[in-house]
Amino acid sequence: MCNIAGYIGKREAAPILIEMMRREEGYAGGYYTGITVHDGVRLNSVKTVGPLDILLAETEAATLRGSCGFIHSRSKSGGGREWGQPFLTEDGGTSLIANGSAGIFLTPELDKKRCDMAVSLERDGYVFSSRTKGTVGKYPALSDGTSIHSTDLWCQYAARLIDNGMKPDAALSKIMSELPAEAVVLLMRNEEPDSIFVSRINYPMTVGIAEDGDIYFATTRLAFPEDVRFSEITLLPPMQTYTVTRGGYSVSPFPINLDISVAEITEEFADAEYPAFVERVKEKGRPLEGWEIVDYYVYGWPQGTLNQNEPLFYVMLERLAREGRLGISELILEGAVEGYCGKKFGIFIKD
């Protein structure tokens, strides 16, 4: 799992994004960190191996100017600095981040399609900054023995579609229909200084509309500033694409076309699952990392649907926090690359 935060408003985005990520980075991610902010003229982006503190120490992330941006912290799944997110096109026109993986969609047919798309994009002059010798996990592997990050592939493909006249939201819906994943994807475009485009299959993305019209979004509402008054906080419905601007968001008229339904997180379902979630986390008798909890606790989703394990995990944590029972111990772990550390939260239940 990865963690994401975003902001569109009238204030400087970078300090807000940094504090939001500080509040959530340990639940997931914690091994690579990066940020993109639009300064009104162009996209500015930096990233590094390591948690947020290393990003701040090694880059100018804290001084990026602009009132629209997003920040990303990703998991320990291979690759060097260029495998961190956000991804950016060579011309600086498109920036894209994602949380998730191909998951149930990863078939030999999809793998071939991803590799063929990469070849096509390279032929058209789009450059993969993540191109790395050798095989990296289940990421696209090309015929010359190199691998690329799947989010880099989406970034370059989105840029080509938009460069050829497609609207950004239409481009995201097309990509999620053709190269699907259990994921949420966010896109910023150079000529859209006040908008962020979101395509959500089943991974979490919560949007908060402040009373003054500023927009905050994050993997979990636990990242939202406590001193901001919100008129609405919503987990965006799955299997849709959105255009987010200051003041609100709208559902794209361009649908994601996949022959699968996503299980709903109803209040009744969450209520029914919550006691077992609490007891099973207690069983371990030690602080758990987020991925351990998601893997360990199997939710009772209806058969034949795409689950929402990761969003429900955060629903459970948010409930624990409201009840004053969410315990967190900070864990500093071996990093994704030698010489760097990772940062995680050990989660336990306080009684």
Side-chain angles (χ1 to χ4, degrees):
M1 295 191 295
C2 305
N3 270 329
I4 290 170
Y7 172 78
I8 307 171
K10 57 187 181 299
R11 299 160 59 194
E12 289 293 330
I16 295 170
L17 296 172
I18 289 166
E19 288 311 307
M20 290 174 72
M21 184 54 67
R22 195 179 299 282
R23 292 169 62 89
E24 72 174 353
E25 75 168 333
Y27 296 122
Y31 290 95
Y32 301 74
T33 315
I35 184 173
T36 295
V37 176
H38 203 306
D39 66 8
V41 178
R42 64 190 181 93
L43 297 169
N44 298 287
S45 189
V46 292
K47 59 185 177 182
T48 192
V49 176
L52 179 64
D53 289 343
I54 293 179
L55 178 75
L56 298 178
E58 293 188 349
T59 75
E60 66 274 20
T63 61
L64 295 181
R65 302 299 303 274
S67 58
C68 177
F70 51 46
I71 191 167
H72 185 280
S73 181
R74 66 159 285 209
S75 58
K76 183 182 180 181
S77 52
R81 187 183 71 85
E82 288 303 324
W83 278 63
Q85 300 188 38
F87 286 100
L88 202 69
T89 50
E90 192 176 43
D91 65 3
T94 302
S95 184
L96 190 144
I97 58 177
N99 174 19
S101 66
I104 67 165
F105 298 104
L106 186 56
T107 62
E109 291 76 18
L110 176 63
D111 194 37
K112 182 178 185 306
K113 197 171 185 178
R114 294 191 304 180
C115 294
D116 290 345
M117 180 60 69
V119 171
S120 173
L121 288 164
E122 281 198 315
R123 187 169 56 241
D124 286 352
Y126 293 89
V127 177
F128 298 108
S129 62
S130 62
R131 192 160 195 154
T132 302
K133 292 182 179 179
T135 300
V136 180
K138 296 181 180 179
Y139 291 98
L142 306 184
S143 57
D144 64 355
T146 60
S147 298
I148 61 171
H149 198 293
S150 51
T151 304
D152 196 3
L153 176 64
W154 285 335
C155 181
Q156 308 311 319
Y157 188 22
R160 184 171 72 178
L161 292 172
I162 298 167
D163 291 344
N164 288 336
M166 189 172 286
K167 294 181 178 179
D169 57 331
L172 280 185
S173 287
K174 181 177 176 64
I175 291 168
M176 288 296 98
S177 299
E178 292 183 356
L179 305 175
E182 295 191 53
V184 60
V185 182
L186 280 68
L187 180 146
M188 294 178 67
R189 183 72 177 177
N190 197 54
E191 66 269 19
E192 301 271 3
D194 302 308
S195 298
I196 296 177
F197 304 90
V198 181
S199 196
R200 178 173 182 245
I201 301 295
N202 67 327
Y203 265 57
M205 183 49 53
T206 299
V207 172
I209 303 175
E211 290 184 351
D212 64 0
D214 286 2
I215 299 290
Y216 299 76
F217 39 105
T219 303
T220 168
R221 68 174 64 196
L222 293 172
F224 290 167
E226 294 179 352
D227 60 348
V228 173
R229 297 179 63 180
F230 291 94
S231 59
E232 176 186 341
I233 297 179
T234 304
L235 175 65
L236 290 176
M239 209 65 86
Q240 295 190 95
T241 298
Y242 303 86
T243 298
V244 186
T245 58
R246 186 170 185 272
Y249 60 90
S250 60
V251 177
S252 170
F254 306 99
I256 298 171
N257 295 309
L258 291 173
D259 188 22
I260 191 169
S261 61
V262 179
E264 292 186 54
I265 302 177
T266 64
E267 188 171 340
E268 293 75 16
F269 183 77
D271 287 344
E273 294 292 321
Y274 185 63
F277 173 88
V278 171
E279 290 306 311
R280 292 191 180 184
V281 173
K282 284 182 177 180
E283 284 176 12
K284 287 292 187 180
R286 61 175 175 83
L288 302 175
E289 296 178 50
W291 66 267
E292 291 182 282
I293 298 174
V294 172
D295 287 350
Y296 171 63
Y297 181 63
V298 179
Y299 305 102
W301 302 106
Q303 289 191 352
T305 61
L306 186 59
N307 71 54
Q308 292 200 67
N309 282 349
E310 286 73 16
L312 186 57
F313 161 73
Y314 285 108
V315 168
M316 300 300 189
L317 293 188
E318 290 158 12
R319 180 174 293 195
L320 283 171
R322 289 196 303 272
E323 295 175 354
R325 302 172 69 195
L326 177 60
I328 296 174
S329 60
E330 188 173 289
L331 308 174
I332 303 300
L333 306 172
E334 182 180 351
V337 173
E338 186 176 353
Y340 287 90
C341 67
K343 181 178 180 179
K344 305 294 287 184
F345 291 161
I347 299 162
F348 61 95
I349 294 172
K350 298 187 295 184
D351 282 325

